[in-house]
Structures are given as C-alpha cells and as structure tokens.
Amino acid sequence: MFRNLFLFVLLLIEAGNAASSDYLDNHSCKECHESIYDEFQKSAHARSYFTDELHRKIAQKADPNRYECAPCHMPAASNIDELVSGRARPDPRDVRQRDGVSCFFCHTIAYVKKAHRYNINLPARQAKGYKPSLFGSLVNPDESDKHSSLKSPIYMDNACMGCHSHKVNENNVTVFRAMGPTDNSRGCVRCHMPKVPGGVEKMDKRGRGEHRLHTFPGLEDAKFRASGYALSVGRSPDGIVVTLENRMPHPMIIQPARARYLEIVVTRKGKTVWRNYAKRPEEDRQGYFAFRFFRNGKAVALPNHATSRQENNLQGKEIRRLKYRIPGLRSGDRVRVTLYALPARQECAAAVGLEHSRYTEPIPIRSVEWTVP
C-alpha cells in the first residue's frame, strides 16, 4: 500500500516538474543573490551524488541498480521515479541532478506529506508560460525578472521536515531520525540558519540589514559543533566522572554512518598512565556513540536491509555521567577529555572502500583538562 502511495506521489512530483517553466539552476541565482550563493556553495546541500564520495559509495553499495536516495539527495531531478525504480541512473550531464539539494527545489516546496517510512516533499505546480513562483519567509519580498516571490509559512514550520525528519527501512528499522513528530522547522532554522548581516539581494532594494545564513553550519564548522556540547570532569571514589551534555534539541547521532567518541588520557609528570582505550575508541563501550545494525542477528555495516539495531546515543538535551575506574589515580594527575566526531565509523567506511580517507579522520569537537585535587 505504501509503495503505491509513494509512486502516486512521485507521479504528482513529475507532473509538477513537467508543467513548470524553465528550471532555475543554482548558478542562475548568483546574479541577484551573490552572497547567499557563495554561502550555499560551502554547504552540505550543495554537495551532490557526483561530488560527495561517501554518499555515492554508500548509495551504490546499498543498491547498485536503484538510487533510492534521490527524493532527498537529488530532489530537483525531473526523473525521480525512474531513479528510484532503477529505470535510470544518475547522469552528471543533467544540471537538475548536479545541483544537489538545489535552491530552486527548496524554494518551491509547497507541502510536506508525512508518512511512516519517510516524509515526502511536494513542489508547487508551476503555470506553463509564466515565471516560476518561489517561496520564502520574507515579508513583502522583492520581485524578479526570473521568478515571482511569495511569503510562505512552510519555511518556518515544514521546510526541513521533508528530508530531515526520519527514515525507516523496509523492515521497519529506524535508520535516521532528527526530528520528533511534534517538532517543526523553526528550531532547525534558528540554529542552522542564523541571521547574519547583509541583505538578501546584491541590490538591496528594501534596505534589509540581514538575511538567513545559507552555509547551514554543522559538523564542518568548528565553533558551531563545539556549541552543541558541554563537557566536564570530576572525582569519584575510585576514579573520575565525565559529564557530557548534549545541548542540541535533536539526538547526538543522527546519520547512521557517523560516530562520536571520548578520548580520555591521564598523565603523570608528562607520561601517560591510563587511557580509556588501547587502539580503537570502540573499546570503550560507554564512551563510543554510534548505531549498530543487524540482519537476522548478524552485524551489517549498512542499514538499508537491517532487521534490528542497537544504539549508544544521547537524546536532545540529555546529560550523561560516565564513570571510569582508574586504579592508582593520584592528586596532581592531569586528565584530558576530548570529544571527537567521525564522519564515517570504521566498519561503514571499510564496507564502501573508504577506510583510509578523510572520512575516517577524527574531528575534535570539544576538549577539557582537569587536575586531580
């Protein structure tokens, strides 16, 4: 039943695209929105199937014949149904596909259909022969010779819900969840699209002094990623207590490929006397945060066909205290605790041939040093 509904919705999308006037590619936006275009080029939304090696390899490994990720990772494509069903493959010559999560697509979302497995974005149908209508949150938006501009409440409530809410695989296993059923996009916009100086257009006709940042800061932004956590250390009767706070409204781990972990090092007179793991951070079961997926009880690296999962995760606004027993801990010992992120956990990267790549390089998030009293 869901499959039929999904295909029906895709047909609606196709019909909308077919009836639309000329597609406005990302680069065409630069003529009027130069600063926003430059911001967008630095964002994850600008990366596509052709430029994001990790995503492409995972998609190919998950299903070499069908590109089921297209509704969210290639949403402007005019042949989504063919890509999802396997009747077509991604084509680097097609600008709609190369544009990734394109400016045009996001600004034409008219409705988000909520569904169990994942939500579906429905773009507005465009009148043939007329300028396309683009939606935004501006009051009294400027007009353009390329498009009409309309204020739409969906950008404050639902714009992120289509792709960033959740995904459940064919076996009813959740592989991605960033937002709960009662959440809306306002929290996403508040953190990931803060207001910054400068108007929305190169020629600021209405004297707007600020706009929403379109880099969508995340893991790649050092200051931003550090702001999501608080970290502290204290003494326990037989060792230390590390307090980790997730300040974000969503879970610490969202993407199934990623991981977070703690590195704890105790030094005495400059020499290391204790660590929380010897070789790999996974050895510390409480300090390694990730999803683990299984198919009929056997561990699998990719979650597309998993039948169950386990997770060590911090939910939104959760505070967790981790106790570590450290024999012989002395007054004056130095304790350094660092929270790291892995863009791709080891087993996932190995499954797609990227175990020795930038995706497995740990990214420091936050660090704290403490002297034992």
Side-chain angles (χ1 to χ4, degrees):
M1 180 177 177
F2 180 84
R3 172 70 177 169
N4 292 336
L5 174 61
F6 179 64
L7 290 176
F8 173 72
V9 169
L10 286 176
L11 287 173
L12 287 179
I13 295 174
E14 290 295 305
N17 285 335
S20 70
S21 49
D22 291 342
Y23 171 74
L24 302 179
D25 62 57
N26 290 344
H27 190 266
S28 70
C29 302
K30 185 176 183 179
E31 181 180 336
C32 296
H33 307 283
E34 187 172 29
S35 60
I36 291 179
Y37 173 82
D38 291 341
E39 291 168 1
F40 177 83
Q41 291 304 308
K42 301 172 186 176
S43 75
H45 282 178
R47 294 198 291 268
S48 71
Y49 174 91
F50 308 104
T51 57
D52 188 335
E53 186 180 20
L54 178 62
H55 169 71
R56 182 175 65 255
K57 284 183 174 287
I58 289 176
Q60 291 172 341
K61 186 75 172 180
D63 193 322
N65 300 312
R66 300 184 298 166
Y67 184 44
E68 294 185 277
C69 311
C72 283
H73 286 267
M74 201 177 280
S78 59
N79 61 339
I80 288 181
D81 188 30
E82 285 81 1
L83 292 166
V84 170
S85 65
R87 300 196 304 275
R89 293 296 298 160
D91 183 357
R93 299 168 299 178
D94 188 335
V95 67
R96 284 176 172 261
Q97 298 184 19
R98 293 198 312 270
D99 272 352
V101 184
S102 76
C103 310
F104 185 86
F105 179 81
C106 279
H107 285 278
T108 55
I109 296 173
Y111 182 70
V112 176
K113 171 66 178 177
K114 294 184 178 180
H116 171 67
R117 285 193 61 191
Y118 49 88
N119 294 340
I120 300 168
N121 292 305
L122 296 178
R125 291 177 63 88
Q126 305 288 347
K128 192 172 183 178
Y130 289 84
K131 292 186 299 184
S133 295
L134 301 189
F135 303 134
S137 59
L138 289 178
V139 177
N140 193 19
D142 296 329
E143 284 299 312
S144 164
D145 60 347
K146 291 185 178 182
H147 63 82
S148 298
S149 301
L150 301 170
K151 184 179 186 297
S152 170
I154 197 170
Y155 280 89
M156 295 307 293
D157 291 325
N158 297 319
C160 311
M161 290 290 293
C163 292
H164 290 275
S165 175
H166 67 285
K167 183 178 180 182
V168 177
N169 74 4
E170 61 189 12
N171 297 312
N172 207 34
V173 176
T174 299
V175 299
F176 172 94
R177 181 173 292 281
M179 306 168 73
T182 61
D183 292 336
N184 61 37
S185 298
R186 291 178 182 269
C188 310
V189 171
R190 184 169 54 251
C191 290
H192 294 279
M193 296 187 72
K195 290 183 177 180
V196 295
V200 297
E201 291 186 313
K202 188 187 300 184
M203 183 180 293
D204 193 0
K205 300 173 185 176
R206 301 187 189 276
R208 304 184 200 274
E210 56 188 12
H211 68 274
R212 293 283 181 182
L213 184 65
H214 280 65
T215 59
F216 308 101
L219 185 61
E220 297 84 1
D221 187 309
K223 184 178 179 180
F224 183 84
R225 65 177 179 258
S227 69
Y229 302 93
L231 194 59
S232 63
V233 189
R235 186 75 189 262
S236 70
D238 58 356
I240 62 172
V241 176
V242 176
T243 301
L244 177 60
E245 176 185 357
N246 176 13
R247 290 176 167 174
M248 300 176 292
H250 57 72
M252 170 189 267
I253 301 297
I254 295 173
Q255 295 90 341
R258 290 183 176 176
R260 304 279 192 276
Y261 68 90
L262 292 173
E263 179 189 70
I264 307 173
V265 180
V266 180
T267 59
R268 183 178 301 148
K269 296 181 179 180
K271 294 183 179 180
T272 299
V273 296
W274 186 88
R275 289 175 58 94
N276 62 324
Y277 61 88
K279 293 183 178 180
R280 297 180 60 180
E282 299 95 310
E283 297 168 25
D284 178 7
R285 297 296 295 273
Q286 66 171 338
Y288 183 79
F289 304 93
F291 298 140
R292 297 180 67 211
F293 294 94
F294 304 86
R295 180 167 177 81
N296 300 324
K298 183 179 179 180
V300 292
L302 304 182
N304 54 311
H305 299 306
T307 54
S308 63
R309 84 168 190 177
Q310 296 176 355
E311 67 175 289
N312 183 25
N313 204 0
L314 264 68
Q315 300 307 310
K317 304 297 185 180
E318 182 181 350
I319 299 174
R320 190 173 300 180
R321 293 173 176 83
L322 311 177
K323 296 181 179 180
Y324 290 89
R325 184 175 179 273
I326 305 177
L329 188 67
R330 301 179 187 174
S331 176
D333 287 350
R334 296 284 294 170
V335 181
R336 186 183 72 250
V337 181
T338 306
L339 177 65
Y340 285 98
L342 283 176
R345 51 193 171 87
Q346 189 66 34
E347 58 269 36
C348 177
V352 297
L354 290 174
E355 61 267 48
H356 304 296
S357 71
R358 65 183 180 87
Y359 297 104
T360 56
E361 289 295 319
I363 300 172
I365 296 178
R366 200 171 188 91
S367 187
V368 63
E369 292 196 13
W370 176 74
T371 300
V372 180

